[in-house]
Amino acid sequence: MGAGASSGRDPRHWAVVPAAGAGRRFGGPVPKQYLELCGRCVIEHSLATLLEHPAIDGCVLALSAEDEWWAETVYASHPAVQRVAGGTERSDSVANALEALSEYADEHDWVLVHDAARPCLTRFDLDRLIAALGDGSAGALLAVQVHDTVKVADAASGDRVLRTVPREQLWRAYTPQAFPLGTLRRALARARDQGSAITDDASAIEQLGLRPLLVSGRSDNLKITRPEDLPLAQFFLEQQQEQGLR
């Protein structure tokens, strides 16, 4: 996958999908990324939009050593998909994927990190994200502005309102999140060395003092976290198909 890095060429675009998680919050014997959804498993939907996009040169997938489901998916032998070992944390899986990718990709190539359990990404949103990436950019991520009223709970009680947070500058971070390969590797290594909590890849980039661009995306690009998310994802996929977005 890939013919190696070369100086002077335009940056390529690579997808990285960390999929080593067990989905503890979801529960059940089968990881949520392998549950059936509209005739395919969740991760197949998540990968399809990436692999079918002409700007994506390949995908590195980080899987658990105990994964017994990947081999049965339609992309298990896809020539553009490379499998690597996942890590203990999501950030470890991403770091492992980046290490493998760096063997043939340039440090200025763009890496689009996408959640394995986020199956409703549309081609439209992926187009917008890629279009936002430019020379010298710190990167970009799909996000949705917060429209609900947000409350902060009192730390002592845990369930009493302390204050209301102004929502005008609040966004929900989605994926893909895209950054230069070399920059993201440095950011994750620095966060690991400092013991910093990394909730998403953008948070590691922010700790370098960089400011990624927020690209307004569709709110139906949900991440399946709990059982009630699965029928909602099915509804969104069916609506997207009817509207010609998939």
Side-chain angles (χ1 to χ4, degrees), residues 135-186:
D135 292 340
S137 168
L141 61 146
L142 288 178
V144 174
Q145 283 189 288
V146 171
H147 299 295
D148 297 321
T149 299
V150 179
K151 305 290 185 180
V152 174
D154 180 75
S157 66
D159 58 1
R160 299 281 184 177
V161 173
L162 180 64
R163 65 180 182 274
T164 301
V165 180
R167 63 191 177 190
E168 288 76 17
Q169 293 179 285
L170 298 180
W171 293 67
R172 288 180 288 162
Y174 285 9
T175 69
Q177 300 187 358
F179 310 101
L181 171 59
T183 304
L184 185 53
R185 289 193 75 189
R186 289 192 296 274

Side-chain angles (χ1 to χ4, degrees), residues 11 16 39 41 47 51 68 70 103 112 115 128 130-131 187 205 207-208:
V16 163
C41 66
L47 290 172
L51 293 173
E68 58 185 88
W70 170 250
E103 295 181 4
L112 285 72
D115 296 323
R128 295 193 67 189
I130 292 174
I205 295 292
Q207 290 182 21
L208 289 181

Side-chain angles (χ1 to χ4, degrees), residues 214-227:
L214 294 164
V215 178
S216 182
R218 294 174 58 93
S219 60
D220 57 5
N221 181 19
L222 87 165
K223 181 179 180 181
I224 295 174
T225 304
R226 301 182 184 278

Side-chain angles (χ1 to χ4, degrees), residues 109-138:
D109 283 353
W110 292 105
V111 176
L112 285 72
V113 185
H114 187 53
D115 296 323
R118 202 178 287 272
C120 300
L121 173 67
T122 65
R123 168 70 178 269
F124 174 80
D125 270 6
L126 188 53
D127 284 341
R128 295 193 67 189
L129 178 64
I130 292 174
L133 304 176
D135 292 340
S137 168

Side-chain angles (χ1 to χ4, degrees), residues 21-137:
R24 296 181 183 87
R25 280 179 292 178
F26 196 95
V30 178
K32 59 189 177 183
Q33 60 265 35
Y34 294 112
L35 295 175
E36 193 275 334
L37 176 64
C38 293
R40 311 175 80 173
C41 66
V42 170
I43 196 172
E44 289 174 336
H45 289 287
S46 302
L47 290 172
T49 304
L50 296 169
L51 293 173
E52 292 169 7
H53 196 285
I56 301 297
D57 289 276
C59 175
V60 183
L61 183 71
L63 296 174
S64 167
E66 289 76 37
D67 190 302
E68 58 185 88
W69 300 274
W70 170 250
E72 303 301 321
T73 66
V74 297
Y75 295 116
S77 58
H78 195 287
V81 178
Q82 177 185 2
R83 174 178 177 171
V84 300
T88 303
E89 303 293 337
R90 180 186 185 278
S91 58
D92 299 323
S93 293
V94 174
N96 290 351
L98 297 180
E99 181 178 0
L101 186 56
S102 66
E103 295 181 4
Y104 49 84
D106 188 88
E107 68 171 7
H108 300 295
D109 283 353
W110 292 105
V111 176
L112 285 72
V113 185
H114 187 53
D115 296 323
R118 202 178 287 272
C120 300
L121 173 67
T122 65
R123 168 70 178 269
F124 174 80
D125 270 6
L126 188 53
D127 284 341
R128 295 193 67 189
L129 178 64
I130 292 174
L133 304 176
D135 292 340
S137 168

